[in-house]
Amino acid sequence: HGSVSASAAATAPGSDTYKGWLFKWTNYLKGYQRRWFVLSNGLLSYYRTQAEMAHTCRGTINLATAHIDTEDACNIVLSSGGRTYHLKASTEVERQRWVTALELAKAKAIRMMNDQSGDEEPTSQSDRSELQGTLKLLVSKLDDLSTCNDLIAKHGAALQRSLTELEGLKVTIEGGEKIKAVNERATLFRITSNAMINACRDFLDLAETHSRRWQRALQYEREQRTHLEETIEQLAKQHNSLERAWREAPTLASSSPSERSNKEEASDEDEDTEYFDAMEDSPAFITVTASESSQHRSMSPSCNDVSGKELQPRRERRTRVPDKPNYSLNLWSIMKNCIGKELSKIPMPVNFNEPLSMLQRLTEDLEYHELLDKAARCESSLEQMCLVAAFSVSSYSTTVHRTAKPFNPLLGETYELDRLEEFGYRSLCEQVSHHPPAAAHHVISQRGWTLWQEITIASKFRGKYLSIMPLGTIHLQFHSSGNHYVWRKVTSTVHNIIVGKLWIDQSGDIEIVNHRTKEACQLKFSPYSYFSRDVPRKVTGVVADSSGQAHYILSGTWDDKMESAKILQSSRGGSGSEGKQKTVYQTLSPKLLWKKYPLPENAENMYYFSSLALTLNEPEEGVAVTDSRLRPDQRLMEDGRWDEANAEKQRLEEKQRAVRRRREAEASEALDEEYEGYQPLWFHQRRDSLTGETSFVYKGGYWETKESQDWNICPDIF
């Protein structure tokens, strides 16, 4: 069908109309028949012939509600409202052109539909027509330019010819005539050039006045790009289901379209569809700093820095790990099989890991422990809350470049960090469950605080990005006052899984509550947006007393610093951009609560580890036999021996599966007696009286066992 494909690409995909011949399945007698298809204004219509377009349309499908599917090389399946069209293009390239055109038209139709339903501000419709008008004007000016251009070229050639003729002349009478002709042509040439220059000038003026409209056009392009990414995601799903179908039935010949079973729809709709789209951009308040004259000391002297850094000889710890080797492996080749799945169940090669386990990552939350030491010395619980909030934000500061995934700990794996001598705290983590993966963590500090948490990491891969949702509560108690703070973590998102450089964002809200005083802090992590004028990675917050009265404004970014400003007075301000009332807070000038430490030298070759992270996997004497530092695949990976690490990782995971199978067999044999499932060693489940949640809390015994070095009770997991 050479002629078919030639006429099909009548217009390029991306323009508003697209026409061409496609084969449409009619029925079993006639099979596929050639039909003329026209895609325009979000509607796909078809006719028997091009001539029929004037009077008889044979059918139309609205793309806004249509589902576009691709089967084998040249097929397209469109379904909408119970009707399904099975179409076939003559070549794969042709099919791809149509699919692109259909997808773009569908996106546009959906956008138009949303515009009309009044979701956007009413200006967008006129904006769009204005933009269209501008573009038309610019295009017509461009046409003028090219017309002038053609003319200049034509006249130029004529002038050239005349001059050549002139040179070859000997006769003078005739010469006069010719020279006159040359002059006329030169004049024409000048006039045309002038016209061209003027057209250029008009064009420039227009372009200058409409640069703002170009911004909008750019935004539209960005939306198109997002749409393309979504299309790629669809392709990945189709690729995936094709591979699956091929694996399940490689021998069956392909059945005819009408016998198609309902394919498994790889739909993300139920998954809190793009959960962060709905979040507002701007905080719901405005802050005004008071003039210096009204300044008071904002932090009471109770929080002064008499930090416990009494002069002690520090233990030397390592300041580097071997450089990360340069193994190239395409993340996408592995990830495309995981869309919509729970990531912990997918065996991943170490190539996407960093040589630390999730237990060590959890321990990294303590990097800025001195904020808690300082908070423990505060007399004012509201000032204490500011520091606790800064601490909760500081745990994200290490993530900004850390796009590799930590090792999923084996069941029963532990990790201790004993910094009693240097910083007054001891930390212990244990992997208490494998599906879902959950880790319990307990830290006690001689400087007046205890922190405990049980975190389950839920991760969903959604094609373009990966969501990491840490579920579970963090508890922090100060010994002297009894202030007991509770909060949860926000969602992390890893972007650009398909193309480009991976980057991480944090989005969502954290509410920190002091259960003793009922004071609360609301923190908002704003998701990154192309279009926002805000600084990226922004965090804003308000600290309020038990009656809801605001006392401090917190602001900063999760990858750099947090500040607090004491509120002098608040008033209901003017309306915000959406017509909502915004509170205006008058504050003292802000005080720094927390500032991120710079990354160590050469960090970019060492997995972007912080100084603390570099020391976490350093071998240490006397730790439990289940400690992450002793995990062999992780150690091999840190040493740069990735192929051996991958083999070792498979061995460990297989060993863990065998143990689990044995446990399940024991459980089914012991059905008559009470059979206890897997029990962690150092943590047990207890119900929290404050939150009512059941979680694993430390039951004691680890540090005593470490004293006696009797690790016989530990399981053999490595």
Side-chain angles (χ1 to χ4, degrees):
H1 299 288
S3 60
V4 181
S5 63
S7 62
T11 34
S15 68
D16 281 351
T17 42
Y18 193 70
K19 321 183 176 65
W21 291 104
L22 285 170
F23 289 89
K24 178 178 179 295
W25 177 261
T26 51
N27 54 39
Y28 278 110
L29 291 173
K30 296 204 170 139
Y32 280 101
Q33 294 290 326
R34 187 165 175 250
R35 297 284 180 261
W36 180 253
F37 278 83
V38 178
L39 167 59
S40 179
N41 291 330
L43 301 174
L44 179 69
S45 316
Y46 73 95
Y47 310 88
R48 284 215 174 124
T49 62
Q50 278 168 275
E52 251 192 15
M53 278 171 68
H55 47 86
T56 316
C57 172
R58 301 280 169 176
T60 297
I61 212 161
N62 183 350
L63 288 175
T65 55
H67 186 76
I68 303 166
D69 214 355
T70 48
E71 287 183 319
D72 58 30
C74 301
N75 282 31
I76 305 172
V77 181
L78 284 180
S79 44
S80 173
R83 279 213 317 287
T84 305
Y85 289 176
H86 293 271
L87 310 176
K88 203 183 220 163
S90 46
T91 65
E92 240 178 289
V93 177
E94 203 46 67
R95 196 273 303 265
Q96 211 37 54
R97 283 200 190 124
W98 270 104
V99 170
T100 310
L102 290 167
E103 286 285 7
L104 291 174
K106 175 179 173 178
K108 197 162 170 189
I110 291 170
R111 240 195 338 271
M112 291 305 234
M113 214 161 66
N114 292 344
D115 287 351
Q116 273 140 27
S117 64
D119 284 352
E120 289 187 15
E121 56 272 83
T123 56
S124 71
Q125 208 54 51
S126 61
D127 272 5
R128 196 153 279 129
S129 54
E130 198 181 355
L131 180 62
Q132 239 70 60
T134 307
L135 287 175
K136 280 212 182 75
L137 258 172
L138 286 175
V139 168
S140 70
K141 284 290 169 197
L142 267 173
D143 284 349
D144 294 352
L145 273 180
S146 56
T147 313
C148 291
N149 209 10
D150 294 347
L151 279 171
I152 284 187
K154 216 157 84 189
H155 292 322
L159 196 58
Q160 264 343 101
R161 264 199 315 281
S162 301
L163 288 170
T164 323
E165 287 170 7
L166 199 60
E167 283 169 6
L169 278 186
K170 296 187 175 59
V171 196
T172 41
I173 310 123
E174 216 181 324
E177 292 294 312
K178 284 288 182 202
I179 286 165
K180 209 161 80 193
V182 170
N183 279 338
E184 277 170 15
R185 280 174 183 160
T187 315
L188 261 175
F189 197 82
R190 203 172 56 251
I191 293 167
T192 315
S193 302
N194 269 339
M196 179 162 186
I197 300 297
N198 289 335
C200 277
R201 200 174 293 118
D202 292 351
F203 181 75
L204 267 177
D205 290 347
L206 255 175
E208 271 170 339
T209 46
H210 290 100
S211 72
R212 264 187 56 249
R213 311 239 158 77
W214 284 116
Q215 294 293 176
R216 289 198 203 108
L218 179 66
Q219 183 168 344
Y220 172 73
E221 287 306 322
R222 280 184 178 141
E223 286 166 10
Q224 294 291 58
R225 179 194 153 167
T226 312
H227 184 71
L228 274 173
E229 283 180 346
E230 278 158 18
T231 313
I232 291 184
E233 189 178 342
Q234 278 302 119
L235 276 175
K237 289 177 186 162
Q238 287 153 15
H239 183 144
N240 203 17
S241 56
L242 277 175
E243 274 184 357
R244 202 165 48 234
W246 181 79
R247 271 199 304 277
E248 285 161 10
T251 48
L252 296 179
S254 78
S255 55
S256 62
S258 49
E259 298 163 30
R260 275 173 68 234
S261 62
N262 272 347
K263 272 214 211 123
E264 171 195 346
E265 294 290 335
S267 157
D268 273 346
E269 285 312 306
D270 51 324
E271 319 223 313
D272 358 333
T273 310
E274 293 259 334
Y275 53 93
F276 46 61
D277 281 357
M279 291 181 51
E280 288 171 30
D281 238 320
S282 55
F285 55 82
I286 300 161
T287 326
V288 184
T289 309
S291 63
E292 289 301 316
S293 59
S294 60
Q295 281 282 25
H296 318 292
R297 269 282 292 125
S298 89
M299 282 289 188
S300 70
S302 66
C303 284
N304 275 352
D305 259 321
V306 281
S307 83
K309 293 182 181 151
E310 280 70 61
L311 299 171
Q312 289 187 350
R314 284 275 177 90
R315 215 196 104 169
E316 274 301 301
R317 299 193 188 271
R318 68 180 184 182
T319 54
R320 51 170 304 117
V321 295
D323 282 5
K324 177 181 178 177
N326 188 11
Y327 275 75
S328 67
L329 178 61
N330 179 0
L331 179 59
W332 177 240
S333 62
I334 287 168
M335 293 297 273
K336 68 171 193 287
N337 302 315
C338 325
I339 291 181
K341 293 192 190 132
E342 197 24 271
L343 271 201
S344 62
K345 296 199 167 93
I346 290 147
M348 297 279 268
V350 302
N351 305 46
F352 307 120
N353 284 21
E354 54 179 27
L356 286 180
S357 80
M358 193 60 218
L359 304 179
Q360 290 163 313
R361 275 305 285 267
L362 210 49
T363 308
E364 263 189 83
D365 284 2
L366 301 171
E367 182 167 14
Y368 297 93
H369 60 88
E370 68 273 10
L371 291 170
L372 300 183
D373 300 346
K374 192 173 171 185
R377 299 190 301 273
C378 278
E379 282 156 28
S380 148
S381 56
L382 287 164
E383 287 176 17
Q384 191 176 62
M385 174 68 91
C386 291
L387 287 160
V388 171
F391 175 79
S392 74
V393 174
S394 75
S395 66
Y396 294 99
S397 64
T398 57
T399 63
V400 67
H401 300 294
R402 301 267 291 275
T403 49
K405 129 191 203 311
F407 277 78
N408 196 12
L410 299 163
L411 188 60
E413 192 173 317
T414 58
Y415 180 73
E416 64 156 78
L417 190 67
D418 186 341
R419 292 284 194 263
L420 201 61
E421 288 175 9
E422 291 122 298
F423 304 124
Y425 71 81
R426 275 176 159 176
S427 155
L428 175 70
C429 292
E430 181 179 5
Q431 187 77 355
V432 293
S433 152
H434 186 61
H435 279 314
H441 184 198
H442 184 269
V443 195
I444 184 152
S445 166
Q446 292 178 338
R447 300 188 186 163
W449 52 270
T450 305
L451 179 140
W452 65 100
Q453 56 184 341
E454 183 202 324
I455 298 288
T456 300
I457 300 285
S459 49
K460 267 286 160 61
F461 176 49
R462 293 179 157 92
K464 297 192 297 296
Y465 59 90
L466 164 68
S467 312
I468 299 160
M469 293 149 287
L471 313 172
T473 314
I474 303 165
H475 292 262
L476 169 66
Q477 191 158 23
F478 290 101
H479 305 162
S480 58
S481 60
N483 284 338
H484 185 152
Y485 295 87
V486 176
W487 70 94
R488 295 168 179 278
K489 286 182 175 292
V490 293
T491 296
S492 303
T493 313
V494 185
H495 293 268
N496 276 1
I497 299 246
I498 300 178
V499 282
K501 191 173 175 342
L502 295 176
W503 58 279
I504 288 197
D505 200 18
Q506 317 289 351
S507 55
D509 297 332
I510 293 183
E511 182 184 36
I512 307 176
V513 178
N514 178 345
H515 278 275
R516 192 183 69 79
T517 62
K518 299 290 179 276
E519 292 158 351
C521 170
Q522 302 286 347
L523 284 174
K524 181 182 193 62
F525 286 65
S526 306
Y528 176 79
S529 154
Y530 268 138
F531 310 118
S532 166
R533 292 181 299 281
D534 277 337
V535 274
R537 303 190 264 278
K538 187 168 134 182
V539 183
T540 46
V542 180
V543 174
D545 61 25
S546 53
S547 68
Q549 162 113 31
H551 288 263
Y552 287 94
I553 293 293
L554 306 178
S555 64
T557 56
W558 51 262
D559 64 331
D560 183 37
K561 64 172 183 209
M562 288 298 290
E563 297 178 327
S564 66
K566 192 172 171 61
I567 296 171
L568 295 177
Q569 57 175 20
S570 62
S571 54
R572 299 297 286 157
S575 56
S577 52
E578 296 85 30
K580 295 193 204 90
Q581 284 252 303
K582 288 202 175 192
T583 308
V584 177
Y585 293 115
Q586 192 185 21
T587 66
L588 296 173
S589 57
K591 295 273 180 284
L592 185 68
L593 293 169
W594 159 74
K595 176 95 178 93
K596 183 187 170 179
Y597 300 136
L599 281 176
E601 200 183 336
N602 194 36
E604 64 283 359
N605 296 316
M606 300 189 292
Y607 310 91
Y608 286 100
F609 280 173
S610 64
S611 303
L612 171 65
L614 286 171
T615 67
L616 292 179
N617 206 38
E618 187 172 1
E620 244 176 65
E621 292 295 303
V623 298
V625 292
T626 47
D627 195 284
S628 304
R629 296 174 180 89
L630 302 172
R631 180 168 172 167
D633 53 351
Q634 193 174 305
R635 180 65 60 199
L636 284 165
M637 184 198 168
E638 183 186 284
D639 293 338
R641 296 153 62 182
W642 285 17
D643 295 331
E644 294 163 74
N646 273 325
E648 191 58 15
K649 184 168 186 278
Q650 278 176 315
R651 180 188 71 79
L652 287 169
E653 285 166 353
E654 191 37 62
K655 178 173 178 172
Q656 175 166 264
R657 277 193 289 274
V659 172
R660 190 171 69 239
R661 284 195 292 272
R662 201 160 55 243
R663 230 189 346 263
E664 283 163 0
E666 282 169 18
S668 57
E669 280 166 27
L671 277 179
D672 31 341
E673 307 133 52
E674 272 298 299
Y675 177 76
E676 260 202 328
Y678 175 78
Q679 293 302 317
L681 265 185
W682 313 110
F683 289 80
H684 54 183
Q685 271 193 314
R686 288 292 177 268
R687 190 169 168 279
D688 187 89
S689 54
L690 286 178
T691 61
E693 294 171 344
T694 304
S695 65
F696 281 95
V697 294
Y698 182 51
K699 64 180 182 193
Y702 180 89
W703 302 105
E704 294 76 6
T705 309
K706 187 183 177 184
E707 275 297 298
S708 66
Q709 280 299 304
D710 177 15
W711 297 114
N712 288 329
I713 51 169
C714 292
D716 162 30
I717 56 174
F718 300 138

